[in-house]
Amino acid sequence: MRRPRTMRPNIVSEAGVSTRVNQWWESIPFLTSAVVVVCGAIYLVCLLVGYDSFAEICFLPSAVVSRFQVYRIYTAILFHGSLLHVLFNMMALVPLGSELERIMGSVRLLYVTILLATSNAIFHVLIALLVTYNPFVKFDYLMNECAIGFSGVLFSMIVIETSLSGVQSRSVFGLFNVPAKWYAFFLLVVFQLLMQNVSLLGHLCGILSGFAYTYGLFNFLIPGTSFYSSIEASSLLSSCVRRPKFIVCTGGNPSGYIPTHTSQNSTTSGLLSGNIWRNLSSLMPQREVSAQSAEDSRFPGAGRTLGSSQGQMASGIQSNSNLQARLLEDSSPNQPSEGRHAVDNAATAAAGVPHHQAAVVSEEEIKKLVAMGFDRTQVEVALAAADGDLNVAVEILMSQQG
């Protein structure tokens, strides 16, 4: 007798670990992944050759001032003292740097990173000199404190990302919420209490540099978009620009989108429980929006309850999208003030928002976008067209520059 032929079950297998890791790595933009590779490679080389003379490359205020060893400003951020040190910093950099790189572009973020590292060092030296040589109470140890690691720049990025997100509060390790403007300071205190050999002054200077950037104090040092475009067009970077992970500063790369929001109702695990990836990502800031806006990621911005008349207004907003695009294209820095107000009023009317409301919202956000190198006139029009939503305004500005 012939045995009946058994049918193979329809098995759907999940992707392997290597496939998931590869997909995760490919989702990280070019500059962020490059920093991770460089810092990781430097640590491995130091580990293999037994190099531990960090006093030669760390940021040492006394050496910078007396012997003018400026190179320490940049070597200090690339070296790390232990495996946990480099692992923690790089895992914190991946979500934070990826988000900023998608907004700014790879070359622009590289310039901003160098600017933040330099300003951190300047603040560090000035405060160390002030504390050491003040006529009241002197603390000589700050001039001889040897600091290494990328965490100072990370604190600057935390302040910048928090400012761009526009949220009012942040979750600290999923335990409690704090006002967004004090979020970085709470992290500073927590790290000082939980960890040893953490540079208080190095992290504090990173926070100060972040606030200086967001308040526009570095505007005179930030070039225009043409500067970054000329660098991207150079033959030296041609091989890098062609990579799919590279994000041009003009927003021409399809992957240069504004990152999706994270619902505030999502649970965040603590330090000692849950998945390790979630634990590491929970240490970094998460955007908080209402559950309604998180339901459809295609329409970013603040959600609102619409009545019957407002529903008709929403359809009018969609029909006037072409008008808003033309308004943005027609705006220029040389446009007279009266014409600029006319465009602003037209864009505000097209968005269905009274002019006085749009002006109040945009005035609080204009300086943040101008600090990123955008023209003030286009910023005002973009904010009006975006109904005051900062993330949508950035997306509009980046698309118009492309």
Side-chain angles (χ1 to χ4, degrees):
M1 296 179 61
R2 177 182 294 181
R3 290 183 299 176
R5 186 176 180 181
T6 59
M7 305 228 7
R8 298 181 61 184
N10 186 13
I11 300 176
V12 179
S13 59
E14 296 183 357
V17 176
S18 60
T19 303
R20 294 184 180 182
V21 173
N22 184 64
Q23 292 175 349
W24 170 77
W25 179 253
E26 291 299 323
S27 66
I28 303 175
F30 180 81
L31 179 64
T32 303
S33 59
V35 173
V36 173
V37 170
V38 170
C39 291
I42 289 177
Y43 175 76
L44 289 178
V45 171
C46 292
L47 187 64
L48 293 176
V49 301
Y51 180 84
D52 58 356
S53 301
F54 296 121
E56 300 176 356
I57 48 86
C58 68
F59 183 78
L60 189 62
S62 60
V64 174
V65 174
S66 62
R67 298 189 292 272
F68 201 68
Q69 296 178 349
V70 183
Y71 68 88
R72 292 176 177 270
I73 297 176
Y74 309 106
T75 56
I77 64 176
L78 299 178
F79 284 79
H80 295 80
S82 66
L83 177 61
L84 290 179
H85 189 197
V86 65
L87 180 63
F88 180 85
N89 280 353
M90 294 303 101
M91 291 304 299
L93 173 66
V94 167
L96 189 60
S98 298
E99 183 168 353
L100 292 179
E101 186 170 356
R102 291 186 183 108
I103 295 175
M104 298 182 181
S106 300
V107 176
R108 190 197 300 264
L109 181 60
L110 175 60
Y111 179 85
V112 171
T113 301
I114 297 175
L115 177 63
L116 292 175
T118 306
S119 60
N120 289 355
I122 294 175
F123 284 136
H124 196 141
V125 170
L126 292 178
I127 296 176
L129 289 173
L130 179 63
V131 173
T132 301
Y133 297 104
N134 72 87
F136 305 104
V137 181
K138 298 182 179 181
F139 297 93
D140 298 336
Y141 74 94
L142 289 180
M143 290 296 295
N144 299 314
E145 184 181 66
C146 188
I148 60 174
F150 203 80
S151 54
V153 178
L154 286 177
F155 268 87
S156 300
M157 290 183 173
I158 289 174
V159 174
I160 296 173
E161 195 277 337
T162 301
S163 177
L164 290 177
S165 66
V167 297
Q168 299 300 319
S169 64
R170 289 283 196 186
S171 175
V172 179
F173 302 157
L175 301 177
F176 56 91
N177 292 334
V178 298
K181 61 181 179 180
W182 300 109
Y183 176 72
F185 292 102
F186 272 88
L187 289 182
L188 175 66
V189 174
V190 171
F191 287 150
Q192 289 298 133
L193 295 177
L194 296 181
M195 302 180 183
Q196 298 179 352
N197 298 327
V198 175
S199 176
L200 172 64
L201 185 56
H203 291 171
L204 178 61
C205 292
I207 295 176
L208 295 179
S209 296
F211 278 110
Y213 179 89
T214 56
Y215 283 102
L217 300 183
F218 296 153
N219 282 358
F220 67 99
L221 297 173
I222 299 178
T225 307
S226 59
F227 171 79
Y228 306 112
S229 300
S230 61
I231 295 178
E232 295 168 348
S234 64
S235 58
L236 297 177
L237 291 182
S238 59
S239 59
C240 298
V241 175
R242 287 196 297 265
R243 294 181 178 273
K245 298 173 63 172
F246 190 94
I247 300 178
V248 295
C249 67
T250 55
N253 194 303
S255 62
Y257 59 89
I258 302 299
T260 56
H261 297 267
T262 301
S263 174
Q264 67 179 10
N265 296 328
S266 61
T267 58
T268 305
S269 60
L271 287 173
L272 302 178
S273 63
N275 187 278
I276 185 173
W277 296 98
R278 186 182 301 173
N279 293 339
L280 290 172
S281 63
S282 66
L283 301 179
M284 300 312 301
Q286 301 290 332
R287 293 187 174 182
E288 300 178 359
V289 294
S290 62
Q292 179 180 356
S293 62
E295 291 177 357
D296 194 345
S297 59
R298 296 174 301 171
F299 303 98
R304 64 181 67 181
T305 304
L306 301 178
S308 58
S309 60
Q310 291 177 331
Q312 299 175 357
M313 186 182 300
S315 61
I317 294 175
Q318 297 177 357
S319 63
N320 290 329
S321 59
N322 293 331
L323 171 62
Q324 296 174 8
R326 290 196 300 270
L327 291 174
L328 288 174
E329 293 174 353
D330 294 340
S331 63
S332 62
N334 299 325
Q335 188 177 2
S337 59
E338 294 181 359
R340 184 178 65 188
H341 291 306
V343 172
D344 193 4
N345 294 337
T348 306
V353 180
H355 174 70
H356 65 88
Q357 293 181 5
V360 172
V361 175
S362 62
E363 278 299 325
E364 299 176 355
E365 312 295 347
I366 286 177
K367 293 183 179 179
K368 299 178 183 178
L369 296 179
V370 172
M372 295 176 58
F374 297 114
D375 180 72
R376 182 181 179 87
T377 302
Q378 294 183 346
V379 167
E380 294 176 352
V381 177
L383 283 171
D387 194 13
D389 190 294
L390 184 60
N391 296 307
V392 178
V394 172
E395 188 174 8
I396 293 175
L397 289 169
M398 297 295 284
S399 63
Q400 291 303 316
Q401 289 184 3

